[in-house]
Amino acid sequence: MNVSSILVTSVLVALSFFPYLIHGETLSDNTFTQTIDVPIDTALPESKFQPIDIKVEFDHPCWAKDEINRSIRVFCEGSFGVEELESQIYDLEFIDKEHISSCRLVFLIPEFADGTEKYYISYSDREVPIPNYPDHVSVIDSHYYYEPIPGQKIDFDYYRITEDGYVIYGVVQKGILLGTYVGHTIIKLKPNSTEFETVNADQFASFAFSYGAKDGETGTQEAKTVDKSVLVDGNLMVRMRIRSKSPEGDVETDNVYTYYYSPTPVKRICVKVNHRVLKTIEVRYNIDRDGSYATLSTFKSRSSSIDKMNVGDILPFLSFYSDDGVRETVDIPKNPSTKETDWIISTDDDKDIGKNAWVCMHEDEPGKLHALVFDSVEGISNERDGLQVKMGVKENVKLPGLEADSCSVYVTRDSYDSGTEHDTVIEEETNISFDAEFVTFEEGTLDDIDRESIIFRSLAEYRSITKESGEEGVAVKRYNLTVFTLFAHSFPFGSLLSAATGKNFSYIYVEIYRDNSLASSGTASKIPIHMDTSSSEDNKSNNFVEKIKSSIAVFDWKNISFFRKLRVPNLE
């Protein structure tokens, strides 16, 4: 054997025991090492703390009893030396009860990455001390109830996603928010929110399939029952599945939501979207809503007398990457004055999303940005391929003491091209499938979104979603609680009058806590008030008697009580 072959052999042996040579006794039992290839350029600033989620095939049997009791560790070697990285494994493929042949591996690109570093996994074929990493993220199946004015409710089931003690997102399974159905809606909370409350809501993104109807809209967001499960709940990543059908039974949404730990102000949640049309849909009303795949929404409410109704803000600009290969920016009216939707971008404008595939609501740059990013604009539908963008604003409430406005950006099927007929028929067996990301920059630019979209598409190719893994949603025993407030005096309809007039009328407010955390809250009253869900066309009667009847019908007389009360459903 010559000197060169001896040298090569020595290097290979050293590499096999790489962790042992560097870290000494703490990792001496890990016998094997393999190189990991990451699918992005880690020299780029935007790559820092991006989550890597890849499948690893082991060259040797790897000791692992489960996701916690395992030998696998991840290391990064570069000019800085060698550092162990926190990691998570899931989707284990077992050889026997204590060995696996492959798994999926999650870790974050470290802040000190410069593009020259290398990544390794270290593992053993026998039992060794297991890694002990902080559990940064968690997901909890929860229910939220808030009744600021008697009869005006926010009532939904949701998955609460927390990170290092802060609530980052709520993913709504089913329910209603002040008359609007919100299934498959992601609620982004403000930074450093420790409670899931309406005052902490920052932005909304929906991945329900919706379309225009006589009373406004319908779709999978209105489902009364859902199939749900937590697929993965690890130290760096959580994943949930929600499947539901529209009340008409004509469309089904089956989505998987994934959140990766992000130790920076930038927060992102990934969604594997699948919409399936079960029966042909003909959109006859509100035809600008001709099949929405995703929606980015904001809601602004201002009350001079009820602090908890001061929620949200409408950002001043919408930008998107167009099919002409340029960014287009449109001003958003911050104080709309129309009761019906004012379409700032309508079907007739024929605004298609281009290959970088993102839409964004934002402040002046640099500033806050909320964006939807898509993995592609091609191959997502077997009917009308491509994505169009539309935007509408409206004034929801205008009273002396309360004003509420909203803005929604719809990403829809490509139903119209200039010079052609608007296609409002969605055929049976249409299937829409794509990967998307809802991302927020607290201080960002459109360049940041553009770079984020490139990295997202690179990473999405390597992510695999197994809907059958994890545990099916277990039925949680819930209870309805009625709170009676005896001998407590307040002004009749105090909260309603406070909201309507801006004056401070007394009212009784109830808060219910579970494990020192706010579970539900609302105003106690003797007569609840019905939510008005009729269309504006039904409320234009000039007949005085009809107006009196309508006013009387607002009150929920069957639930009248001698004492003021608050009925709270679905408490655990």
Side-chain angles (χ1 to χ4, degrees):
M1 181 181 292
N2 59 34
V3 175
S4 61
S5 62
I6 293 173
L7 180 60
V8 171
T9 302
S10 299
V11 171
L12 291 175
V13 171
L15 183 59
S16 297
F17 292 92
F18 173 83
Y20 169 78
L21 294 175
I22 299 297
H23 291 274
E25 294 183 2
T26 58
L27 297 178
S28 60
D29 291 327
N30 269 3
T31 310
F32 308 112
T33 299
Q34 292 177 209
T35 303
I36 302 173
D37 294 323
V38 298
I40 58 175
D41 181 359
T42 60
L44 299 173
E46 59 268 23
S47 71
K48 308 304 182 283
F49 298 113
Q50 286 283 352
I52 304 300
D53 185 341
I54 55 176
K55 184 173 183 178
V56 175
E57 302 273 358
F58 298 103
D59 295 338
H60 307 276
C62 173
W63 180 77
K65 291 182 178 180
D66 51 41
E67 290 82 356
I68 304 297
N69 297 284
R70 41 97 167 193
S71 61
I72 304 159
R73 296 174 185 259
V74 177
F75 295 90
C76 180
E77 178 196 21
S79 58
F80 44 81
V82 177
E83 294 286 343
E84 182 175 353
L85 306 180
E86 296 178 34
S87 61
Q88 172 185 337
I89 64 171
Y90 69 102
D91 281 1
L92 283 62
E93 296 184 10
F94 283 93
I95 301 171
D96 54 42
K97 291 183 179 180
E98 295 191 359
H99 294 89
I100 60 175
S101 60
S102 69
C103 68
R104 294 201 64 85
L105 175 69
V106 177
F107 63 94
L108 305 186
I109 298 298
E111 186 176 21
F112 47 76
D114 59 10
T116 64
E117 77 282 1
K118 296 181 180 180
Y119 297 87
Y120 302 90
I121 52 169
S122 162
Y123 63 99
S124 177
D125 58 358
R126 57 194 176 90
E127 185 172 351
V128 294
I130 64 174
N132 183 23
Y133 303 130
D135 187 6
H136 292 288
V137 296
S138 64
V139 56
I140 302 172
D141 192 348
S142 305
H143 182 83
Y144 183 77
Y145 185 90
Y146 174 47
E147 192 172 351
I149 299 171
Q152 315 302 293
K153 303 174 184 179
I154 303 173
D155 183 8
F156 52 72
D157 297 333
Y158 74 106
Y159 285 119
R160 183 168 69 241
I161 298 173
T162 60
E163 177 181 87
D164 291 338
Y166 296 106
V167 186
I168 308 300
Y169 293 103
V171 182
V172 180
Q173 303 158 13
K174 63 182 177 70
I176 196 165
L177 192 157
L178 299 177
T180 300
Y181 290 97
V182 286
H184 291 283
T185 294
I186 302 170
I187 303 173
K188 168 70 174 66
L189 271 66
K190 297 175 183 177
N192 302 320
S193 295
T194 57
E195 297 283 353
F196 188 92
E197 290 194 73
T198 53
V199 292
N200 293 331
D202 193 16
Q203 186 77 14
F204 301 83
S206 171
F207 290 92
F209 185 97
S210 60
Y211 62 92
K214 187 175 182 179
D215 58 352
E217 66 175 19
T218 187
T220 55
Q221 75 278 9
E222 297 190 10
K224 301 299 190 298
T225 59
V226 299
D227 295 325
K228 60 181 181 178
S229 59
V230 174
L231 302 178
V232 183
D233 187 358
N235 57 299
L236 295 178
M237 181 269 279
V238 294
R239 176 171 290 163
M240 306 128 278
R241 179 187 183 186
I242 303 173
R243 181 174 63 184
S244 58
K245 289 183 182 179
S246 64
E248 294 79 7
D250 52 9
V251 63
E252 177 186 78
T253 294
D254 187 358
N255 291 349
V256 175
Y257 301 85
T258 304
Y259 179 72
Y260 296 95
Y261 173 54
S262 176
T264 75
V266 179
K267 302 300 178 186
R268 54 179 70 85
I269 184 168
C270 302
V271 189
K272 180 69 175 180
V273 177
N274 186 256
H275 302 306
R276 188 162 60 98
V277 178
L278 307 176
K279 295 186 291 188
T280 296
I281 298 169
E282 184 175 354
V283 183
R284 299 179 179 179
Y285 304 94
N286 194 9
I287 60 173
D288 282 300
R289 299 291 311 281
D290 52 7
S292 297
Y293 301 158
T295 308
L296 189 61
S297 299
T298 190
F299 182 81
K300 180 185 72 175
S301 173
R302 295 292 181 266
S303 171
S304 56
S305 55
I306 302 178
D307 288 341
K308 284 194 174 184
M309 294 191 73
N310 292 308
V311 179
D313 197 10
I314 296 179
L315 300 183
F317 305 109
L318 165 70
S319 294
F320 61 96
Y321 191 90
S322 76
D323 61 345
D324 293 326
V326 297
R327 300 171 188 167
E328 292 194 29
T329 298
V330 179
D331 291 344
I332 301 175
K334 296 203 68 175
N335 293 291
S337 58
T338 58
K339 299 299 182 184
E340 300 299 321
T341 300
D342 179 11
W343 289 101
I344 309 302
I345 303 176
S346 68
T347 301
D348 291 339
D349 293 313
D350 188 23
K351 296 296 185 181
D352 292 351
I353 297 175
K355 64 176 184 178
N356 279 15
W358 55 261
V359 296
C360 174
M361 299 176 74
H362 60 97
E363 298 175 331
D364 286 315
E365 301 178 69
K368 177 168 286 189
L369 302 96
H370 299 287
L372 299 181
V373 180
F374 302 89
D375 65 330
S376 179
V377 294
E378 298 177 346
I380 64 175
S381 173
N382 62 350
E383 185 226 20
R384 304 274 310 198
D385 213 6
L387 299 173
Q388 285 189 331
V389 60
K390 303 170 188 177
M391 180 175 68
V393 298
K394 66 183 296 186
E395 182 182 75
N396 300 80
V397 179
K398 181 65 173 179
L399 296 170
L402 177 65
E403 181 177 353
D405 305 316
S406 62
C407 173
S408 293
V409 178
Y410 302 99
V411 178
T412 71
R413 53 196 283 270
D414 191 0
S415 62
Y416 175 75
D417 292 310
S418 295
T420 67
E421 185 177 352
H422 183 193
D423 181 7
T424 58
V425 177
I426 310 170
E427 298 291 344
E428 181 181 351
E429 298 185 358
T430 294
N431 194 80
I432 301 102
S433 183
F434 57 87
D435 288 286
E437 179 184 79
F438 173 31
V439 60
T440 297
F441 287 78
E442 295 298 328
E443 191 78 9
T445 66
L446 295 182
D447 286 339
D448 291 326
I449 296 298
D450 226 16
R451 289 189 287 263
E452 175 77 13
S453 72
I454 294 170
I455 283 192
F456 171 71
R457 283 190 292 278
S458 297
L459 294 175
E461 292 181 21
Y462 290 85
R463 292 171 180 161
S464 176
I465 307 296
T466 305
K467 293 183 178 180
E468 289 74 22
S469 64
E471 298 182 357
E472 289 297 321
V474 178
V476 178
K477 195 169 185 178
R478 298 182 186 271
Y479 304 88
N480 296 330
L481 173 69
T482 301
V483 179
F484 291 92
T485 58
L486 306 180
F487 311 116
H489 300 287
S490 65
F491 199 88
F493 305 111
S495 62
L496 176 61
L497 291 172
S498 294
T501 65
K503 306 296 183 181
N504 288 316
F505 292 89
S506 63
Y507 59 92
I508 298 171
Y509 187 74
V510 179
E511 291 185 344
I512 300 169
Y513 288 81
R514 180 177 182 270
D515 296 333
N516 296 319
S517 180
L518 182 66
S520 299
S521 60
T523 303
S525 68
K526 294 182 179 181
I527 308 177
I529 300 171
H530 282 301
M531 175 62 67
D532 179 16
T533 58
S534 61
S535 67
S536 59
E537 296 298 324
D538 297 329
N539 290 316
K540 292 182 178 178
S541 173
N542 292 318
N543 185 296
F544 181 74
V545 175
E546 292 299 323
K547 287 186 175 182
I548 294 295
K549 289 181 179 179
S550 297
S551 299
I552 294 173
V554 164
F555 298 102
D556 186 5
W557 297 103
K558 68 178 181 180
N559 287 313
I560 190 171
S561 170
F562 184 75
F563 298 105
R564 289 179 176 83
K565 67 178 182 180
L566 173 68
R567 183 180 182 275
V568 181
N570 297 314
L571 284 174
E572 293 182 20

